Amino acid sequence: MATINKNIWNKVVSEMSTDIPADEFALVVQEIQFESSAGSVVNLSVGSEFLRDRIMSLYIDSITKKLENYTNEDDASIAINIDVTQATKSATATSNPTPVFVPTHRDATAHPQLNTRYTFDNFVIGDNNRYAASAALAIAKSPGTDYNPFLIYGGVGLGKTHLIQSVGSGVFKSFKKMKIISVTAEAFTNEFIQAIREKKTTKFKNKYRYADLLLIDDIHFLQKKQETQEEIFHTFNALYDAKKQMIFTCDRPIREIKDITDRLRNRFERGLTVDLQPPSYETRMAILYKKIEDINRSKNISFSNEVLEYIAEKVLSNVRDLEAALLRLIGYTELLNKNITLSIAKEQLKDIVTGDAGAITNISLEHIQRVVANYFNISRNDLIGKKRTRMVIFPRYLSIHISRKITNFSFTEIGMEFGRRDHTTIMYACEQIQKRLQMDPSLEKTIQLLISRISSAWKS
Ligand code: ADP
Ligand code: MG
């Protein structure tokens, strides 16, 4: 491999002069000193942290690529040291410590890692997500100031990815200079493993540790991934100290994640933690209206209120299912060119709308508890009490799951009625049942049976 020397560095600099506006080039790129290189690692220095951050966020990729062109290798990695003596030499830095930069050229249309489908504009705010959404908006307006890190948790399909991506797009629009990295925890892990395999961990570290905004979706994926956790821990510390914004999402409260080191758990919870709850009936209606409005930008589809109310009444669990129900009906009308009547909607959605019970009006949680306890031959006291034997835990989780499914009570309300348990425990119970359902679909039959008993015993 060709060694990277000062000569090559000068060529890279002169190539950059054609890519970058002249004053930016003079103020930033020409301030970089080539120090030394060892193997594929190149040491550069600049006179201030500000310059280093700017280079790291805007030019590091193109510098690396240009260097690699000269070495015919693809593992150049760059370290930029701060040499304060340089700052005093430089007239610009002393006379004008906060230079105003001309805006850089950047493709204004899209960020490669952000999904433009998810924006604040098409995120419907309701009581279930108001707090999370307003914090997300505040962060998008001024990243790295108040809520760092920002952690959003909540069950599947409740809008975690939508929110985190909205912040990314918001920041991308208003802060052109910021380096935004958006990944899932899974992608981060895979990229890290590959970096280890290809001996490019320095490059990997540099990439993440110089982000201005780091979004990591679905951090529950990090369970049991010790080395990746370690890497995230160090990335976290670097970004936290530099006051760079981090946002994470997780499908459950952090403390319920197993096999994650305490010190990392600790870091995740250091800033602001918010949760997303399933939407209320009113919010579900608002979401349906919004989705139809969006779809009708390119189509012309209408649903009767009766049908929309039916969907909102029956699809309770999450927004993804709500969307799926709507899309299925749209597919149906488009294909058959028929209007959707209530009976068509019922027929089409029967596998999404589980149980003919739906949300049973006014049903009490105590009633659900009695029917389930009776079915499993245990007392209601044991069902909601503190015992943790298998005999009571499964019926407890199941009755909690059913309570979520057929009533409109919130996690907190259910928690109160289930022996004053915390809402996170209730979420956890629901997830456990979801997991079991995936492994054992026949459990759904038991649930249906219980729901129909609950419903008929309530009516009678
Ligand atoms: P999660 O990441 O929590 O599993 P997503 O963010 O992927 O959920 O949301 C699932 C779907 O529901 C997405 O298509 C998203 O756009 C939509 N969605 C979720 N919450 C809202 C909301 N409040 N308003 C509009 N659409 C939403
Ligand atoms: Mg998601």
Side-chain angles (χ1 to χ4, degrees):
M1 181 183 88
T3 324
I4 298 167
N5 53 26
K6 180 112 193 217
N7 211 352
I8 293 181
W9 173 249
N10 288 338
K11 287 183 188 162
V12 168
V13 171
S14 90
E15 282 177 24
M16 291 188 67
S17 69
T18 58
D19 305 347
I20 300 174
D23 30 0
E24 170 84 4
F25 178 76
L27 283 167
V28 181
V29 181
Q30 284 194 321
E31 290 293 309
I32 307 174
Q33 301 293 320
F34 177 87
E35 299 284 345
S36 63
S37 76
S40 57
V41 181
V42 182
N43 291 300
L44 306 172
S45 70
V46 291
S48 72
E49 203 175 321
F50 176 79
L51 278 177
R52 183 188 62 185
D53 286 356
R54 187 158 181 90
I55 293 157
M56 277 301 186
S57 64
L58 291 174
Y59 305 119
I60 201 71
D61 291 345
S62 95
I63 294 177
T64 311
K65 238 185 236 127
K66 289 188 198 314
L67 284 171
E68 286 168 352
N69 282 343
Y70 284 101
T71 59
N72 286 327
E73 299 280 336
D74 61 352
D75 65 345
S77 124
I78 293 167
I80 301 185
N81 306 308
I82 297 171
D83 176 3
V84 283
T85 58
Q86 236 173 284
T88 46
K89 274 185 257 154
S90 151
T92 23
T94 43
S95 62
N96 185 9
T98 44
V100 180
F101 287 103
V102 285
T104 49
H105 300 294
R106 171 148 97 178
D107 176 12
T109 49
H111 182 284
Q113 293 156 0
L114 293 172
N115 187 337
T116 51
R117 230 164 62 88
Y118 299 136
T119 62
F120 284 119
D121 287 344
N122 59 17
F123 190 81
V124 176
I125 295 178
D127 283 340
N128 59 314
N129 60 28
R130 179 165 287 121
Y131 185 45
S134 60
L137 269 162
I139 289 168
K141 286 208 186 99
S142 108
T145 47
D146 285 333
Y147 311 119
N148 204 18
F150 180 44
L151 170 68
I152 307 168
Y153 75 86
V156 68
L158 293 181
K160 300 184 294 296
T161 300
H162 193 137
L163 261 189
I164 196 176
Q165 290 288 309
S166 301
V167 178
S169 292
V171 170
F172 182 71
K173 245 199 241 154
S174 349
F175 301 90
K176 299 280 182 229
K177 307 186 298 191
M178 287 201 175
K179 177 169 176 182
I180 301 167
I181 302 186
S182 166
V183 281
T184 60
E186 183 173 9
F188 183 93
T189 305
N190 293 340
E191 196 183 330
F192 182 53
I193 292 170
Q194 192 173 351
I196 295 174
R197 219 173 36 218
E198 296 174 356
K199 302 200 168 53
K200 289 182 189 167
T201 50
T202 316
K203 190 172 176 182
F204 178 85
K205 286 179 209 293
N206 278 338
K207 171 177 166 189
Y208 282 94
R209 293 183 195 176
Y210 287 98
D212 292 300
L213 173 65
L214 175 63
L215 312 174
I216 304 187
D217 206 357
D218 294 333
I219 55 171
H220 45 270
F221 183 84
L222 298 172
Q223 287 191 100
K224 299 202 173 83
K225 315 255 173 354
Q226 298 301 338
E227 261 189 274
T228 311
Q229 285 179 24
E230 178 81 13
E231 184 56 30
I232 292 206
F233 175 76
H234 293 296
T235 304
F236 186 107
N237 291 341
L239 293 180
Y240 188 82
D241 289 344
K243 300 203 163 40
K244 305 298 188 185
Q245 182 73 52
M246 291 171 275
I247 312 183
F248 306 103
T249 73
C250 188
D251 71 353
R252 73 205 79 166
I254 291 288
R255 85 191 87 118
E256 283 169 20
I257 296 195
K258 304 272 164 359
D259 298 305
I260 185 164
T261 59
D262 284 343
R263 57 183 200 168
L264 185 57
R265 194 193 309 265
N266 226 295
R267 294 295 185 289
F268 283 144
E269 288 187 317
R270 188 179 270 184
L272 177 70
T273 300
V274 298
D275 68 330
L276 294 173
Q277 300 279 338
S280 66
Y281 173 77
E282 290 76 11
T283 308
R284 296 198 293 275
M285 280 302 279
I287 290 172
L288 290 174
Y289 281 127
K290 179 75 189 162
K291 301 275 168 198
I292 291 174
E293 187 189 309
D294 289 347
I295 287 162
N296 278 343
R297 277 184 230 288
S298 56
K299 298 183 174 180
N300 183 15
I301 283 166
S302 68
F303 285 102
S304 67
N305 266 337
E306 188 183 41
V307 168
L308 290 179
E309 280 159 13
Y310 175 76
I311 305 172
E313 242 169 64
K314 299 296 182 179
V315 185
L316 312 169
S317 46
N318 68 59
V319 184
R320 183 169 300 150
D321 287 354
L322 203 60
E323 250 179 18
L326 190 65
L327 291 177
R328 183 172 310 171
L329 295 185
I330 289 172
Y332 183 92
T333 37
E334 287 196 317
L335 192 67
L336 299 181
N337 208 4
K338 260 192 194 168
N339 276 338
I340 298 281
T341 61
L342 185 57
S343 68
I344 293 175
K346 282 184 179 168
E347 175 59 28
Q348 285 299 309
L349 300 181
K350 66 172 183 266
D351 61 318
I352 296 183
V353 176
T354 36
D356 53 358
I360 305 168
T361 21
N362 293 331
I363 199 160
S364 78
L365 295 173
E366 188 187 330
H367 172 71
I368 295 174
Q369 290 160 355
R370 285 192 195 291
V371 174
V372 176
N374 183 28
Y375 177 83
F376 285 100
N377 241 330
I378 59 175
S379 71
R380 175 173 167 257
N381 275 343
D382 280 348
L383 186 88
I384 64 175
K386 298 272 174 255
K387 275 193 197 163
R388 293 200 51 83
T389 56
R390 256 187 76 81
M391 269 245 311
V392 298
I393 285 190
F394 179 63
R396 184 179 298 150
Y397 285 2
L398 203 59
S399 50
I400 290 172
H401 169 87
I402 291 172
S403 302
R404 271 308 291 176
K405 200 174 168 109
I406 67 173
T407 74
N408 287 325
F409 290 112
S410 68
F411 286 120
T412 309
E413 289 164 330
I414 294 175
M416 284 306 290
E417 295 288 318
F418 275 80
R420 302 185 148 267
R421 286 182 162 79
D422 193 72
H423 71 281
T424 55
T425 313
I426 303 306
M427 286 176 67
Y428 179 75
C430 294
E431 282 153 16
Q432 292 308 304
I433 296 296
Q434 286 300 347
K435 274 191 202 141
R436 276 187 80 134
L437 274 168
Q438 274 166 15
M439 290 182 303
D440 173 17
S442 73
L443 178 58
E444 187 60 46
K445 286 216 180 77
T446 312
I447 295 174
Q448 289 312 320
L449 174 76
L450 283 166
I451 291 177
S452 75
R453 282 193 187 185
I454 291 164
S455 150
S456 55
W458 184 251
K459 283 174 205 145
S460 61

